[in-house]
Amino acid sequence: METPLTRWLCLGCGFSYDEALGLPEHGLPPGTRWTDVPDDWVCPDCGTPKSQFEMVEMGYADGGADLARIA
Amino acid sequence: MTKSFVLRSGERGHDVIYSDGSASSYVAGHPGSFIARESSFNFHQYQGGRPGFGTIRVFGDEVFNGAGCGYNMHPHHNFIICAFVLEGELTHINTAGRGMVDQLRQGDYYVFSAGSGGKHCELSISPENMNAIYLWLMPGQLYLPPSYHRAHFDIRTRRNRIVQLVGDADGALPVAQDLRVSRLVTDRAGRFTYTPRTPEHGVYVFVVDGGATVNEVALARRDSMGITGAGALALDVPDSSDVFFVETAMLDDARIRAWEKAHGADLID
Ligand SMILES: [Zn+2]
């Protein structure tokens, strides 16, 4: 069985990376696993390195997932 | 089982960020002004300490030195950022709702929830130094509607009792997290009890000024301590003291667990 999709939070600014959504504008299609995000990738908002993201088990607020898709 | 750690003032991460040089686009103001930041937990370049405590990711004791010193407008998501002004005057600008320009002085504090996205700017305009405690919290949910609330803690009229500033008490600022921030300012010796909602909640105790003996551990100015599993905390305060309490749900966090495993000796059982 496939491992569930995860969400990651930038500890420099709070930007969230959601495997389900990816970041299509930054070349990461929906479904891109965190392990497949390049090691030299940095937070698009604040430049914090990938190693300083934390996995979070958190749901979206009402309507939040739609906002995250266009973030 | 009660578990705790003690973090002495000098053991905190220390950063000095100048407003000229490579960080100048981030730090506002005149050349020669600078921010001195003491971090209780890992933050930016400082990665040597505990990664956090419960929902707390940043506990920064920051001094903005010199006129026009601060952080330029920059973006956030999700984090709940609180500031408690100890000295000086803080000009805070944010984009929550219709946006806000606020000025905060001694005793004033705010809760800014960046949620689905918001920017803020932190400035000390006057030549007087500005000292504030900055607290960053994990939210309960991602992409909450951005919000800003502010209030005042009157140091003169609310002495010698523990007052809740952020949380679910009457008059406290609301927060979208299982969390309470309280403050005790004293002008005489006394014994106080802090009772968390449950023993499973952690309490981070930070001595701003004076001193306090917490569950028989003596803390001096800017020392701090985190405790979990305690039904109540007994505090003995010598005379004039100023103590913050951050009570938080304890998340099962892989980064914090890994750090604790690697630094087992730093924990006092
Ligand atoms: Zn970031």
Side-chain angles (χ1 to χ4, degrees), chain B:
Chain B
M1 185 182 70
T2 302
K3 273 175 54 175
S4 63
F5 67 88
V6 175
L7 183 67
R8 299 292 172 192
S9 173
E11 294 169 344
R12 297 176 294 167
H14 175 68
D15 281 314
V16 176
I17 313 155
Y18 292 94
S19 47
D20 39 8
S22 61
S24 58
S25 64
Y26 185 51
V27 182
H30 303 246
S33 66
F34 64 95
I35 295 171
R37 183 165 68 199
E38 313 300 323
S39 300
S40 295
F41 305 110
N42 285 354
F43 191 50
H44 283 242
Q45 309 300 65
Y46 171 64
Q47 292 291 318
R50 177 176 285 273
F53 182 67
T55 63
I56 309 170
R57 288 297 170 278
V58 170
F59 190 100
D61 173 8
E62 304 204 21
V63 179
F64 293 11
N65 292 270
C69 186
Y71 297 107
N72 289 323
M73 204 72 171
H74 61 277
H76 283 285
H77 283 84
N78 298 310
F79 272 123
I80 301 165
I81 296 169
C82 311
F84 304 88
V85 177
L86 303 173
E87 278 172 6
E89 183 182 85
L90 171 66
T91 299
H92 165 90
I93 305 168
N94 73 58
T95 59
R98 293 165 54 213
M100 157 73 70
V101 179
D102 205 355
Q103 289 196 305
L104 301 100
R105 296 177 189 84
Q106 187 179 68
D108 291 336
Y109 61 101
Y110 74 69
V111 178
F112 169 52
S113 176
S116 60
K119 293 184 176 184
H120 74 138
C121 171
E122 307 286 310
L123 285 174
S124 173
I125 292 169
S126 79
E128 186 193 358
N129 287 355
M130 196 287 297
N131 183 198
I133 299 290
Y134 280 97
L135 184 61
W136 291 24
L137 307 164
M138 284 287 193
Q141 287 182 300
L142 297 169
Y143 276 66
L144 288 158
S147 66
Y148 177 79
H149 294 94
R150 63 105 80 195
H152 178 70
F153 170 80
D154 192 330
I155 287 163
R156 288 159 302 175
T157 62
R158 305 178 89 182
R159 283 182 201 268
N160 302 311
R161 60 197 163 100
I162 297 172
V163 177
Q164 197 185 115
L165 307 181
V166 178
D168 53 350
D170 291 344
L173 292 186
V175 63
Q177 185 49 281
D178 183 352
L179 177 115
R180 292 168 170 171
V181 181
S182 303
R183 187 172 181 182
L184 170 67
V185 174
T186 62
D187 59 7
R188 58 170 185 258
R191 166 161 270 228
F192 299 87
T193 303
Y194 184 91
T195 309
R197 202 173 320 203
T198 72
E200 284 71 46
H201 283 77
V203 186
Y204 181 66
V205 184
F206 182 89
V207 176
V208 171
D209 273 315
T213 300
V214 183
N215 287 4
E216 297 175 358
V217 177
L219 301 176
R221 186 175 187 274
R222 311 283 158 137
D223 287 350
S224 60
M225 182 178 184
I227 304 168
T228 57
L233 275 59
L235 260 86
D236 284 304
V237 175
D239 42 46
S240 293
S241 287
D242 185 354
V243 183
F244 274 74
F245 304 83
V246 185
E247 176 188 331
T248 169
M250 296 305 290
L251 308 177
D252 183 22
D253 187 289
R255 288 171 72 95
I256 298 175
R257 249 188 293 118
W259 188 92
E260 287 190 342
K261 208 169 171 188
H263 296 79
D266 288 359
L267 292 174
I268 308 161
D269 287 327

Side-chain angles (χ1 to χ4, degrees), chain A residues 39-65:
Chain A
D39 285 340
D40 60 357
W41 181 85
V42 299
C43 173
D45 274 8
C46 78
T48 288
K50 183 188 170 187
S51 60
Q52 286 172 40
F53 275 64
E54 175 175 336
M55 194 177 86
V56 292
E57 291 183 28
M58 238 182 257
Y60 284 98
D62 207 16

Side-chain angles (χ1 to χ4, degrees), chain A residues 2-59:
Chain A
E2 240 185 297
T3 40
L5 294 164
T6 56
R7 292 168 183 164
W8 295 77
L9 198 91
C10 171
L11 294 172
C13 76
F15 180 90
S16 47
Y17 178 80
D18 187 329
E19 288 183 339
L21 305 179
L23 284 171
E25 280 166 45
H26 295 88
L28 302 169
T32 304
R33 294 292 191 164
W34 185 246
T35 50
D36 296 327
V37 172
D39 285 340
D40 60 357
W41 181 85
V42 299
C43 173
D45 274 8
C46 78
T48 288
K50 183 188 170 187
S51 60
Q52 286 172 40
F53 275 64
E54 175 175 336
M55 194 177 86
V56 292
E57 291 183 28
M58 238 182 257

